[in-house]
Amino acid sequence: MDGFFLQALIYLTAAVIAVPIATRLGLGSVLGYLSAGIVIGPVLGLVGSETANLQHFAEFGVVLMLFLIGLELEPKSLWQMRGRLLGLGGLQVALTTAAIMATALAFGLVWQQALAIGMVLALSSTAIVLQTLNEKGLMPTVGGRASFSVLLTQDIAVIPMLVVLPLLANGPKASFAPDGSVIRHSVEAAKAHGLSLVDGLPGWGVALVTLGAVAFVILLGHYLIRPLFRFVHMAHLREMYTAVALLLMIGIAVLMSMVGLSPALGTFLAGVVLADSEFRHDLESNIEHFKGLLLGLFFITVGAGIDFELLLADPGLLVTLALLVMAIKAVILLIVARIFRLKGQDRWLFTLGLAQAGEFGFVLVGVALQQRIFPEDTGQTLLLVIALSMLLTPLAFIAHKLLSERLARSGQSAQHSPDEIDERHPIIIAGIGRFGQVVQRMLQMSGYRATVIDDDLQTINLMRRFGVKSFFGDPTRPETLRAAGLDTARVLVVALDDPEQTTELVTYARRVRPDLRIIARARDRGHVYHLYRAGASNIVRELFDSSLRVGRYVLEEMGLSDFEARELESAFFDFDRHAVRELAQVWKPGVPAHKNEAYVKRARELNAGLETALLGRLRRDDAASSEE
C-alpha cells in the first residue's frame, strides 16, 4: 500500500508541475503530461516496470473520451455536417493514410504495418489544435471551422481504425476448432479471464452475439437510461449520478470485451445514442473529470515508456522523420484546401495547423503493439515521431502568423489595391468592425461625417452595400492616414480589433500630431495602460460600459430606484476612471500586475475606498433631493 501511495504521489506531482508550465508556454496539456512522464521515467528513473500495468488502467480514459465525443455528435448535427465530414475530413484521412502508407512501403515495410502506420499518423492533435485556435481567436474563421470539421472526422475515424487494427495483427488469426466453432485471438484473451460470451460458438453464432451486443447498447441508450436516472434522482445524492455514469461506461466496456470488440466502439455508440438525451449534460459533467485525469495518466505513462536511448542514438533521423510526416500531411492538407476552395490565411491555417500527428496516435500505437502488428522498436520510433511533431506544432502556428501578416500586407493588396481616398473629414475612424460601426452610425445620426478606413475588404463591401462610404486600406500605414487627412483632422477614432495595431497607430498619430484628439478602443485594463503611455486622449474598454449597464439593471432588480441605480452607475464610472489614472502611474510594461508590488498596494488602497465613495455619493444626492 505504501508503494501505491508513493507512485500516486510521483505521478500527481509531475502532472501538477509540468502541465501548467506547458500550458503557460502555449504547448498544451498533452505535451505537459508527456513531459511529466519523460521526466519521472527516462530522465529521473522514478518509475519503472509498473508503468505498463498502469497504462492498461489509464486506457479507460480513452474509452471515456470516445463516449464524450459521441455525446457531442447529435445524429441530426452529424447529418447536417455530412458534406464537410465525408468530403473535407474524409478526404484528408483517406489521402493522408494512403500517402504515408506508400512512404512506409517504400521503406520496405509489409503492407499491414504500412497501413497501420498510415492510420496512426493520419490523425492530428485535437487537444493542441482546438486549444490553440480558441486561444488565438481563430475558431470562427473559415480556416478554423474547416480545421474543426477535419478534427471531428478524425475523432470519429478512430472507431473504425480500432476495429481494423486487430485484423492486421501478425499474431494468431481466427480459425476453426474441430467442432466447427470460431476461435478468435481477442476472444481467447477474454476467455482466459472467464469473460467470453462467444466461447465455442460457430461463426454464425459469434456474428449474432456480436450484433446482439451492439443492438443492446443502442437499446440501452434509448429505453433504459432515462428510467435509471429518474430512479437515481430520487436519492438526491450527487455522487450517485457519478456512480451511474461510471457503471454505464464500465458495463459497456466489459460487454464489448466479452464479445471480442473494442470497448471504445461500444461507449462511442452509447454516446451517440444519448446525444439528444436530457441527461446528456449530467453525464458529461460527471465523467469529464475522470476522463481528464485518466487521459492525463495515460499520456504520462506513454512519456515514461518512451525509449530515450533510441532518441539519443539517432536524434537527427527522428527529427527528420517527424518533419517528413508533417511535410506529407501539409501537402495533402494543401491539396484538400485547394479542392474545397479555402483561400489566403484560411488555407495556410488549415494546412499548417493540422500537420502534426495527434494524441490518438499514442492510443493506436499501443493497440498495434498489443496486436503485434509491428515490433517494439518500430512502436517506440512512432511514439517519438508523434511527440516530436506535436512539439513542433507551436512553430507551425508561428509560421502561420508570419504568413498571415505577409498576406495581409502584400498578398491582399495584390488582389485589391488600396482605395484612393477622395474625401477628408474632421473625424477619422480607423476600423469599421462591430465597435466602429456603432460609432459611425451615431455620428451619422448626429449629422457628422467621418472618413472610414479598414483593411478588411469584406467588411468594407458590406458597409458600402448599406450606403456607408468607406475606404479599403491599412489604417496603420502612415501613407493611408495622410491620405485620409490626418494632418488636418480634429478627432481620430481607433477602433481596430488587434490591440498591438491599436497601440502602434496611437503611438504614430500622437508623434506626428501632438494636438490631435485620439479616442482609442482598449481590449482590457492592461491595454488601457499601454494606450495611456502611447498618448491616447480618451480610452474606452470594449466591455466596460455594457458591464456598467448590467450592474445598473441588477441594482434596479434588487429594489433601488432608477435614479439611485443611475447615480451609483455614474459614481462607479467616475471612480474607475480615477483609479485607472492612479494605477497607470505605477504600472510597469512587461511586468504582470500581480507581481508589481506598488500596483497591488495602490489597487488595494483604491478598492478599500470604493464602497465609501459610492455610499457617500448616494447620500449627497439624497440630501440634495430632500432640500429641494
Side-chain angles (χ1 to χ4, degrees):
M1 182 62 71
D2 291 339
F4 169 79
F5 284 122
L6 177 60
Q7 293 299 319
L9 177 65
I10 292 172
Y11 279 98
L12 290 174
T13 301
V16 168
I17 294 174
V19 174
I21 293 175
T23 305
R24 186 76 176 268
L25 295 175
L27 300 176
S29 60
V30 174
L31 290 176
Y33 286 120
L34 286 173
S35 302
I38 290 170
V39 170
I40 64 176
V43 176
L44 299 179
L46 297 177
V47 295
S49 59
E50 80 285 347
T51 301
N53 295 327
L54 190 59
Q55 187 169 353
H56 292 303
F57 172 72
E59 283 172 359
F60 188 61
V62 179
V63 173
L64 296 182
M65 172 182 266
L66 288 169
F67 176 73
L68 292 176
I69 290 173
L71 278 181
E72 296 295 331
L73 304 178
E74 295 185 41
K76 291 181 181 178
S77 301
L78 283 176
W79 181 252
Q80 292 172 353
M81 295 176 65
R82 63 189 183 279
R84 280 187 172 272
L85 293 179
L86 295 176
L88 192 67
L91 190 61
Q92 182 274 330
V93 172
L95 290 180
T96 306
T97 301
I100 294 178
M101 179 182 178
T103 305
L105 288 172
F107 278 93
L109 298 178
V110 298
W111 73 268
Q112 294 95 332
Q113 295 175 347
L115 177 57
I117 292 172
M119 291 190 295
V120 166
L121 298 178
L123 305 177
S124 304
S125 176
T126 301
I128 293 177
V129 175
L130 289 186
Q131 179 181 351
T132 306
L133 290 176
N134 285 316
E135 286 177 355
K136 296 181 179 295
L138 296 171
M139 184 61 77
T141 64
V142 174
R145 292 194 298 270
S147 300
F148 175 77
S149 298
V150 170
L151 291 170
L152 182 57
T153 305
Q154 292 177 355
D155 289 345
I156 298 173
V158 170
I159 301 299
M161 288 179 181
L162 289 171
V163 174
V164 169
L165 280 177
L167 303 178
L168 305 177
N170 292 319
K173 305 291 183 182
S175 59
F176 289 96
D179 60 359
S181 61
V182 176
I183 301 174
R184 291 190 298 178
H185 181 60
S186 58
V187 173
E188 290 299 305
K191 178 182 174 183
H193 295 86
L195 296 173
S196 176
L197 289 178
V198 292
D199 178 26
L201 293 179
W204 62 267
V206 173
L208 283 179
V209 171
T210 302
L211 291 174
V214 173
F216 175 76
V217 170
I218 295 174
L219 293 174
L220 177 73
H222 268 299
Y223 299 109
L224 298 181
I225 296 299
R226 289 179 175 86
L228 178 61
F229 266 92
R230 293 191 187 104
F231 173 75
V232 170
H233 179 70
M234 292 188 299
H236 298 290
L237 295 173
R238 186 68 186 175
E239 61 269 22
M240 291 308 300
Y241 284 98
T242 304
V244 169
L246 290 175
L247 173 64
L248 180 66
M249 295 301 95
I250 295 173
I252 292 173
V254 170
L255 177 62
M256 291 295 103
S257 298
M258 290 168 71
V259 297
L261 293 179
S262 165
L265 174 62
T267 54
F268 176 78
L269 289 174
V272 173
V273 171
L274 293 171
D276 56 355
S277 165
E278 65 268 31
F279 300 107
R280 167 186 166 185
H281 297 295
D282 283 321
L283 287 167
E284 282 181 322
S285 61
N286 287 307
I287 291 176
E288 182 69 34
H289 302 300
F290 290 98
K291 183 267 295 182
L293 283 174
L294 287 173
L295 267 183
L297 181 59
F298 173 77
F299 291 130
I300 291 176
T301 58
V302 169
I306 288 178
D307 187 352
F308 252 62
E309 292 183 1
L310 180 63
L311 175 62
L312 297 176
D314 199 345
L317 174 63
L318 290 168
V319 172
T320 301
L321 287 174
L323 292 174
L324 177 62
V325 169
M326 296 183 74
I328 293 173
K329 296 188 72 172
V331 170
I332 297 297
L333 288 162
L334 189 59
I335 293 171
V336 173
R338 291 181 69 89
I339 292 173
F340 284 84
R341 299 179 180 178
L342 297 180
K343 299 179 180 179
Q345 300 178 25
D346 295 311
R347 177 185 297 173
W348 289 111
L349 174 62
F350 181 77
T351 299
L352 296 173
L354 297 174
Q356 77 291 119
E359 55 272 4
F360 269 124
F362 296 123
V363 179
L364 296 180
V365 169
V367 173
L369 288 173
Q370 290 174 4
Q371 299 292 333
R372 291 178 285 181
I373 296 174
F374 39 66
E376 184 70 25
D377 58 344
T378 302
Q380 289 294 329
T381 300
L382 280 173
L383 292 177
L384 286 169
V385 168
I386 294 170
L388 288 172
S389 70
M390 294 170 71
L391 283 169
L392 292 171
T393 300
L395 297 179
F397 276 99
I398 292 172
H400 165 258
K401 182 179 179 181
L402 295 175
L403 279 170
S404 298
E405 292 175 351
R406 183 176 178 182
L407 286 171
R409 295 185 181 276
S410 59
Q412 193 178 42
S413 298
Q415 297 175 12
H416 185 94
S417 57
D419 294 330
E420 181 179 347
I421 302 177
D422 56 5
E423 61 181 41
R424 295 185 175 188
H425 300 289
I427 305 170
I428 300 174
I429 299 178
I432 194 66
R434 292 176 300 168
F435 192 96
Q437 286 176 25
V438 175
V439 177
Q440 189 278 331
R441 287 167 58 193
M442 182 174 179
L443 292 174
Q444 186 178 31
M445 182 191 71
S446 305
Y448 291 95
R449 298 187 64 186
T451 304
V452 177
I453 319 167
D454 200 296
D455 60 357
D456 189 323
L457 186 58
Q458 185 177 359
T459 302
I460 291 293
N461 289 332
L462 178 66
M463 298 306 297
R464 289 171 179 170
R465 186 174 179 83
F466 284 93
V468 178
K469 187 169 184 179
S470 46
F471 300 95
F472 173 71
D474 186 350
T476 63
R477 298 181 72 87
E479 59 269 25
T480 304
L481 291 171
R482 285 196 296 269
L486 181 65
D487 295 336
T488 58
R490 293 175 56 189
V491 179
L492 170 64
V493 179
V494 185
L496 303 176
D497 290 330
D498 191 307
E500 292 181 4
Q501 288 187 338
T502 300
T503 306
E504 178 186 339
L505 176 51
V506 170
T507 302
Y508 172 77
R510 177 56 66 213
R511 186 170 69 249
V512 299
R513 280 287 310 277
D515 60 324
L516 181 67
R517 300 297 298 176
I518 303 175
I519 304 172
R521 164 190 179 180
R523 173 67 58 84
D524 49 34
R525 180 169 286 206
H527 191 208
V528 169
Y529 301 141
H530 281 285
L531 293 173
Y532 181 84
R533 294 282 178 90
S537 309
N538 297 95
I539 304 167
V540 181
R541 277 173 279 167
E542 292 176 351
L543 302 178
F544 182 69
D545 289 330
S546 55
S547 301
L548 279 181
R549 289 182 63 187
V550 171
R552 190 184 83 217
Y553 294 153
V554 172
L555 292 175
E556 291 174 0
E557 293 298 330
M558 294 304 295
L560 272 67
S561 66
D562 180 71
F563 172 78
E564 291 172 328
R566 286 181 181 276
E567 283 300 305
L568 285 174
E569 177 190 17
S570 175
F572 184 84
F573 178 83
D574 294 339
F575 178 86
D576 188 81
R577 285 173 63 88
H578 169 71
V580 168
R581 292 194 189 97
E582 288 289 314
L583 293 172
Q585 304 300 323
V586 293
W587 174 77
K588 297 178 181 179
V591 179
H594 65 278
K595 294 184 178 180
N596 184 339
E597 293 297 333
Y599 183 97
V600 171
K601 179 182 178 182
R602 187 59 183 138
R604 296 183 67 172
E605 292 172 353
L606 291 166
N607 288 335
L610 173 60
E611 185 175 353
T612 303
L614 294 179
L615 292 176
R617 171 77 171 265
L618 196 58
R619 291 193 184 103
R620 286 197 302 272
D621 290 330
D622 288 341
S625 300
S626 61
E627 290 176 2
E628 293 176 0

